[in-house]
Amino acid sequence: MSRSGVPDARPRLVVIGNGMAGARAVEEIIARGGTEQFRITMFGDEPYGNYNRIMLSHVLAGDEDDGAIFLNPLSWYRDNGITLHAGVRAERIDRFTKHVFSSDGRVTPYDTLIIATGSRSHMPPMEGLYTPGGSVKHGIFGFRTIDDTRKMVAYAQHEHHRHAVVIGGGLLGLEAASGLRRHGLEVDVVHSGGHLMSAQMGPEGGAVLRRSVQGLGIGVHTGSRTTAVLGTDKVAGVRLRDRPDIECDMVVMAAGIRPNVDLAVLSGLPVERAIVVDDSLRVQDEDDVYAVGECVQHRGQVYGLVAPLWEQAAVLANHVTGADTGAAYLGSRTATKLKVAGVEVASMGLQGPELETDEHIVFSEPSRGVFKSIVVRDNKMVGATLLGDSRKVAFLTQAFDRGLPLPEERLGLMFDLGTPGQEVGVAELDDDAQVCNCNGVSKRALADAVKGGCTTVAGAMDATRAGKGCGSCKLLVGQVVEWAAGGAVEDDPAASYYVPGIPLDKQALMAEIRKRGLRSVSAVFQALAPGGREDAKSKMGLASLLKMMLADQYIDERDARFINDRVHANVQRDGTFSVVPQMKGGVTSVQQLRRIADVAEKHKVPLIKLTGGQRIDLLGIRKEDLPQVWADLDMPSGYAYGKSFRTVKTCVGQDFCRYGTGDSTRLGVELESRFQGLESPAKLKLAVSGCPRNCAESLVKDVGVVAVEGGRWEIYVGGAAGAHIRKGDLLATVDDPEDVKVLAGRFIQYYREQANWLERTYAFVPRVGIDHLRAVIVDDAEGIAGRLDEAMQASVDSYVDPWRERDDPQTPGQFRTSLPLTVLPQVPVR
Amino acid sequence: MSSTETGTGTKIHVLGPLEQIPVGEGRAFAVDGKQVAVFRLREGSLRAVSAVCPHRGGPLADGTIDGQVVICPLHQHAFDLATGCSTTGANALQTYRVRLDREQNLVLETAPV
């Protein structure tokens, strides 16, 4: 009876379980008009909304915050009129009177019931798991829920905890091990099977995977059973059968999962390995009770992966709502494609040949961590394992799902020979092919979203949730959206904004700034931001742009700067700073070295480190000490902190090197003198090499110069060898070092004016094209070379060494500490 | 800095002149054994929150602010300056009442424990 007095005639749908299966089933039901049809109530054991369990390994590794993995926030339940009992455990049902009894004493009637109780970590039998009081021993963790994960992270970050043992070398165990390794713990994996991931691959693949996992610094003990957890009140180690004990202070149980069937057993429902359901996901011999997910057994199969769950939820919703009572779930062929501990793993069907007539094609390259195995029967693919290289996965999955005929040359299954490559693959991919394995989104679903008007990649991703799981499919999602839109993909308009807070691209923004004569960041917000609202995320980009455009006419508001630029040093994880004095071209002197040594000694610098840019880094300097350190050094800033020109790396050059053909050190020093401190959209790292042996790595620099025989110099642009690797493109070959300076300066100025905020040259150069750059910069096809040179000269002339601010702080308390009491976390002193 | 206690147990701390904080920036103060970051917004008002980022201990007084949020310089977590709530999924900050007295001194209130 509702409060308004009008009885609510809708039947009651009760869902036990608010995990991925329960919530997905409800989403599918709502998509079929379920909100009009039912009053929906959900019970969830955990006191939260619904979250993506697959992402817990990212949370453990620290790549993702636990807040970011929620799929449905509490407001979703409210908006859909769902009554959610979060943190309440349903204990049993009375299937004759149709009531659910829950841990809070509540009795809830239902007309239709869905059981989605999922599964839990399996605790293999061994001694010492529990304290005499009966609770799990301190330091033992499961890896199943968000609370498990939070507790593990907190425990791992506790400084006395140094060594973890993970029991189980399957998918989950390896994820746990690599996550804990990222927290700096020593980690050993103990696996009872003969090789890692024995459920997904054969021994040869396991051996290759073992090498990759060991490469991460993780110890691997296979064929080894844990017989006891040692320690009286907390974990002190584990005992292995036939092996020495391992000392540790943390044990993670990842030895598989078991379906949660207690409620079903107590309530008299049919349970074998799990709750037995038929092809409509109805519990056997029950008219109004359904079950879905990892707690069900269908045709003898129990699934522990996410993909079958999506298929089950759709069939279940068709029956519950009556949308399609002919729908049938016939089981899932499980193909997994995952990234485990940084290694790409895909597996489907058989692990190896089973009949004498089976063909087995194997490729193994352990040094690269690559292993491929394919099993063929009657010219159909019946199994595959791919490790470390998943480029052919889309094609193979389709061949496996559809039983496609295979190329006669079997090698083509593993490598791009005659079979469709990745690019054609998208068009030829079957409509039902799953693009996003985390959220179960098919190519058809994405294409439908595009047809429905989501013509941006971001829009289609929001609409379908494709790419919102582990993210490894984002490239493929983008390709599918492009294909579905027939090339008419609209750019997300915000994606073209120079900074998020002002709805203009860079050229339009620069034009407005010029037209209105704006000279400060606050003036730009007032004139051009919606509602005149300032936006913290936009400040740094605007400050850089204005300084580039206006040089000494720029009104410098210090609050627009990032902390590094306010104090001219690079902030470190403990709130201290690093100080890198200028060392042009990596050339130093006795006096400089002596002075740096004196300063390091006087200020008790915790770490002195040579940088990749051929300089000396003094780390762990407190903010309040910066001015004194600079005064004692009496050297200019090396700008190792800004979105700016950083350094020029050089090789020894012709004076000493017996191969040298050009004076690379001298040119490097001159380039650094000219471009020191220039703001730019992203950092600029340069190099000059004295011969094609390229000892200064010029081919992978933003601007790299190489001396070649005959006194000539090659200039490369757009190279990188950091997070991204790219060989630079040859911009020009010139005879005179002076021409190198002119062309490098012209390129840098063009990049400063044209590149998006934070767009490194390795992205900028291929975006505009090297031919275009050659035309503009070398051949002056647009007639702007003179203007670019002038603008660069103005910037060069306005250079001031920022470390001079030591004598004259720009703002009150510029160098005052921001962590006045204990500094956390402490960086260890070596 | 001076501290007084009111009848209700709330402590009043005078942190010194407003000029210690440049417009649009923040500065940290040690108050009663706690670290508090006080920010001076461009529109003139003041905000005070706990000074240590709950994510990895970053120095929030070194963060970049606008009218609503402060962004931690270490990993770019953002926090609403008025409520302390994170807009990026981190744990929330403690917020404090802060105002100016007649002499333009910063006055911070800490509630009883």
Side-chain angles (χ1 to χ4, degrees):
Chain A
M1 189 75 71
S2 72
R3 293 229 172 93
S4 61
V6 182
D8 189 337
R10 292 176 302 167
R12 301 180 187 88
L13 174 68
V14 175
V15 183
I16 300 177
N18 183 33
M20 296 179 76
R24 180 68 170 218
V26 171
E27 283 181 20
E28 294 281 0
I29 288 167
I30 290 173
R32 289 162 179 77
T35 5
E36 289 78 50
Q37 215 175 328
F38 295 106
R39 278 178 278 169
I40 305 176
T41 301
M42 296 184 76
F43 285 91
D45 205 1
E46 295 181 65
Y48 311 107
N50 167 249
Y51 60 86
N52 187 344
R53 217 178 283 286
I54 297 169
M55 299 293 282
L56 288 177
S57 57
H58 296 253
V59 174
L60 178 64
D63 295 335
E64 199 73 58
D65 263 308
D66 50 13
I69 68 167
F70 280 88
L71 294 171
N72 293 319
L74 292 172
S75 59
W76 175 83
Y77 298 87
R78 231 176 12 249
D79 297 345
N80 285 292
I82 299 168
T83 309
L84 172 67
H85 300 300
V88 177
R89 175 190 286 261
E91 291 178 328
R92 72 182 175 86
I93 61 165
D94 184 326
R95 53 205 175 94
F96 304 104
T97 66
K98 294 185 158 190
H99 284 94
V100 176
F101 299 86
S102 51
S103 59
D104 55 350
R106 189 188 299 267
V107 180
T108 310
Y110 68 82
D111 295 294
T112 302
L113 182 73
I114 298 173
I115 301 176
T117 45
S119 52
R120 58 180 153 46
S121 299
H122 172 52
M123 291 278 189
M126 64 183 71
E127 284 173 43
L129 278 181
Y130 302 96
T131 61
S135 55
V136 174
K137 191 177 281 175
H138 191 55
I140 300 180
F141 298 87
F143 185 22
R144 180 72 193 158
T145 64
I146 199 162
D147 283 340
D148 290 340
T149 312
R150 282 173 180 161
K151 284 182 199 153
M152 259 158 73
V153 170
Y155 195 85
Q157 285 177 344
H158 198 285
E159 54 185 316
H160 306 306
H161 298 142
R162 306 206 155 279
H163 198 144
V165 168
V166 176
I167 297 177
L171 195 61
L172 200 63
L174 294 180
E175 296 276 12
S178 79
L180 290 171
R181 186 85 190 109
R182 295 267 290 273
H183 288 285
L185 271 70
E186 280 182 52
V187 182
D188 283 280
V189 172
V190 180
H191 186 55
S192 59
H195 59 272
L196 294 175
M197 284 188 73
S198 38
Q200 284 85 11
M201 63 181 74
E204 305 95 329
V208 173
L209 181 60
R210 178 193 189 108
R211 243 182 103 126
S212 303
V213 169
Q214 285 173 333
L216 298 172
I218 295 170
V220 178
H221 312 267
T222 50
S224 182
R225 195 173 284 281
T226 316
T227 56
V229 178
L230 307 175
T232 44
D233 51 342
K234 67 180 288 249
V235 172
V238 294
R239 173 152 298 152
L240 307 186
R241 199 176 53 199
D242 311 330
R243 308 255 177 115
D245 297 350
I246 304 176
E247 268 184 45
C248 64
D249 22 50
M250 181 169 183
V251 170
V252 178
M253 292 291 175
I257 51 173
R258 294 290 180 271
N260 285 321
V261 293
D262 296 357
L263 171 136
V265 171
L266 270 177
S267 311
L269 293 171
V271 175
E272 291 173 8
R273 284 195 296 144
I275 304 168
V276 182
V277 296
D278 63 19
D279 289 353
S280 56
L281 278 310
R282 204 173 266 134
V283 175
Q284 190 183 306
D285 301 328
E286 294 292 322
D287 290 331
D288 305 308
V289 182
Y290 295 77
V292 64
E294 293 177 350
C295 65
V296 311
Q297 175 182 328
H298 171 262
R299 296 195 182 189
Q301 285 287 331
V302 179
Y303 298 97
L305 292 167
V306 72
L309 182 162
W310 307 141
E311 299 171 32
Q312 293 174 0
V315 172
L316 177 145
N318 277 329
H319 283 276
V320 168
T321 59
D324 176 6
T325 49
Y329 175 67
L330 303 174
S332 298
R333 307 189 78 171
T334 49
T336 41
K337 178 179 174 234
L338 293 151
K339 207 165 185 175
V340 186
V343 182
E344 304 245 25
V345 178
S347 101
M348 56 199 89
L350 300 184
Q351 297 174 3
E354 291 181 348
L355 306 180
E356 258 184 42
T357 48
D358 285 351
E359 294 174 54
H360 191 201
I361 305 120
V362 179
F363 173 83
S364 178
E365 195 182 354
S367 62
R368 275 207 308 134
V370 174
F371 175 82
K372 304 182 183 198
S373 143
I374 292 171
V375 186
V376 176
R377 181 178 296 169
D378 302 332
N379 205 29
K380 301 267 196 303
M381 201 188 87
V382 291
T385 306
L386 301 182
L387 206 60
D389 174 5
S390 55
R391 275 175 294 183
K392 296 294 289 184
V393 168
F395 172 77
L396 289 176
T397 310
Q398 206 179 334
F400 176 69
D401 285 344
R402 316 277 300 173
L404 297 182
L406 304 176
E408 254 176 38
E409 194 174 352
R410 303 295 195 218
L411 203 58
L413 284 166
M414 291 186 176
F415 303 99
D416 282 331
L417 301 173
T419 56
Q422 183 98 29
E423 276 73 28
V424 256
V426 173
E428 300 193 354
L429 214 55
D430 201 79
D431 275 354
D432 292 323
Q434 187 150 295
V435 176
C436 170
N437 286 323
C438 291
N439 289 324
V441 183
S442 65
K443 178 181 164 192
R444 187 200 316 269
L446 264 174
D448 288 349
V450 173
K451 280 188 211 120
C454 297
T455 46
T456 67
V457 175
M461 279 172 58
D462 281 341
T464 60
R465 292 219 308 252
K468 301 243 168 179
C470 72
S472 67
C473 63
K474 274 183 191 162
L475 185 71
L476 189 58
V477 171
Q479 289 171 348
V480 170
V481 171
E482 243 165 67
W483 166 84
V489 180
E490 285 169 30
D491 289 332
D492 182 4
S496 69
Y497 299 166
Y498 172 69
V499 287
I502 296 180
L504 293 171
D505 68 24
K506 183 166 181 174
Q507 298 311 315
L509 176 60
M510 285 169 67
E512 284 295 329
I513 289 170
R514 263 192 225 103
K515 193 175 92 190
R516 296 171 191 240
L518 305 173
R519 288 174 56 199
S520 71
V521 172
S522 62
V524 171
F525 281 127
Q526 248 164 34
L528 302 174
R533 253 193 320 277
E534 56 172 350
D535 172 47
K537 286 206 286 288
S538 304
K539 283 184 163 183
M540 189 184 177
L542 289 174
S544 166
L545 182 72
L546 288 169
K547 181 82 205 302
M548 185 274 289
M549 291 174 67
L550 302 167
D552 59 353
Q553 293 300 299
Y554 166 56
I555 300 173
D556 180 9
E557 293 164 341
R558 303 294 284 216
D559 65 300
R561 296 182 174 209
F562 183 59
I563 182 64
N564 285 5
D565 299 314
R566 290 183 196 164
V567 300
H568 320 295
N570 199 347
V571 68
Q572 304 294 309
R573 59 178 293 187
D574 60 353
T576 65
F577 290 83
S578 83
V579 167
V580 180
Q582 187 176 58
M583 202 167 272
K584 289 176 183 170
V587 179
T588 183
S589 67
V590 172
Q591 290 75 19
Q592 275 190 347
L593 290 172
R594 187 170 288 139
R595 207 171 316 134
I596 291 170
D598 288 343
V599 169
E601 190 170 54
K602 173 179 170 188
H603 292 273
K604 299 191 176 62
V605 171
L607 179 64
I608 308 168
K609 176 84 185 68
L610 299 185
T611 72
Q614 300 186 336
R615 297 153 346 148
I616 294 176
D617 195 350
L618 305 176
L619 289 130
I621 312 285
R622 286 181 308 210
K623 192 173 163 196
E624 55 271 37
D625 294 339
L626 287 171
Q628 191 57 50
V629 169
W630 297 335
D632 293 342
L633 281 171
D634 197 23
M635 293 167 69
S637 166
Y639 278 93
Y641 44 80
K643 300 302 172 204
S644 64
F645 170 93
R646 291 284 184 88
T647 168
V648 183
K649 186 171 179 170
T650 67
C651 66
V652 172
Q654 64 184 12
D655 284 359
F656 284 89
C657 178
R658 65 186 191 279
Y659 299 113
T661 61
D663 193 347
S664 50
T665 32
R666 179 169 157 194
L667 179 56
V669 170
E670 287 177 4
L671 283 170
E672 187 156 347
S673 303
R674 181 159 177 79
F675 301 127
Q676 55 190 351
L678 275 181
E679 314 60 37
S680 61
K683 60 189 170 190
L684 286 168
K685 295 181 170 180
L686 278 64
V688 185
S689 297
C691 80
R693 283 174 186 75
N694 217 338
C695 293
E697 296 154 356
S698 301
L699 297 185
V700 289
K701 295 292 173 191
D702 295 290
V703 179
V705 183
V706 185
V708 292
E709 202 49 54
R712 292 165 65 79
W713 302 85
E714 292 176 339
I715 307 171
Y716 291 87
V717 294
H724 186 95
I725 300 203
R726 182 175 192 273
K727 178 175 178 286
D729 296 320
L730 183 64
L731 178 71
T733 306
V734 297
D735 295 324
D736 187 346
E738 288 307 311
D739 292 341
V740 174
K741 287 191 239 170
V742 172
L743 291 183
R746 206 178 283 164
F747 166 76
I748 293 173
Q749 184 62 25
Y750 190 68
Y751 165 69
R752 295 170 85 203
E753 293 181 6
Q754 300 291 327
N756 295 321
W757 176 235
L758 304 182
E759 182 181 30
R760 291 286 301 266
T761 62
Y762 67 71
F764 171 74
V765 169
R767 175 165 70 83
V768 300
I770 188 64
D771 294 334
H772 173 78
L773 286 170
R774 266 192 219 118
V776 173
I777 288 156
V778 185
D779 306 330
D780 195 14
E782 293 183 1
I784 59 170
R787 188 186 61 68
L788 290 172
D789 293 350
E790 268 169 43
M792 175 52 77
Q793 191 59 46
S795 290
V796 168
D797 292 342
S798 73
Y799 164 79
V800 183
D801 172 26
W803 286 1
R804 285 279 150 204
E805 283 174 13
R806 61 181 177 252
D807 306 326
D808 182 18
Q810 295 295 297
T811 56
Q814 182 180 357
F815 299 106
R816 194 167 115 180
T817 178
S818 280
L819 292 170
L821 299 174
T822 343
V823 176
L824 291 169
Q826 293 273 0
V827 174
V829 176
R830 275 167 214 275
Chain B
M1 194 181 90
S2 69
S3 303
T4 50
E5 195 160 337
T6 67
T8 58
T10 301
K11 279 190 176 170
I12 307 284
H13 309 269
V14 180
L15 305 180
L18 170 67
E19 282 70 47
Q20 298 170 85
I21 311 180
V23 173
E25 292 192 38
R27 292 287 180 260
F29 297 84
V31 181
D32 228 7
K34 295 189 191 71
Q35 306 178 75
V36 179
V38 182
F39 294 93
R40 184 177 177 185
L41 307 195
R42 279 211 156 258
E43 37 87 351
S45 61
L46 298 167
R47 301 280 187 276
V49 295
S50 39
V52 181
C53 179
H55 174 231
R56 294 276 168 86
L60 290 173
D62 284 342
T64 313
I65 63 164
D66 55 26
Q68 279 79 46
V69 299
V70 56
I71 300 178
C72 177
L74 292 196
H75 306 99
Q76 282 70 51
H77 272 291
F79 301 88
D80 189 299
L81 285 167
T83 65
C85 292
S86 171
T87 58
T88 49
N91 290 333
L93 301 176
Q94 169 83 45
T95 56
Y96 300 91
R97 289 161 67 115
V98 60
R99 57 188 163 80
L100 288 178
D101 65 13
R102 276 190 210 146
E103 288 80 41
Q104 295 289 297
N105 284 316
L106 296 162
V107 178
L108 186 92
E109 291 181 17
T110 50
V113 181

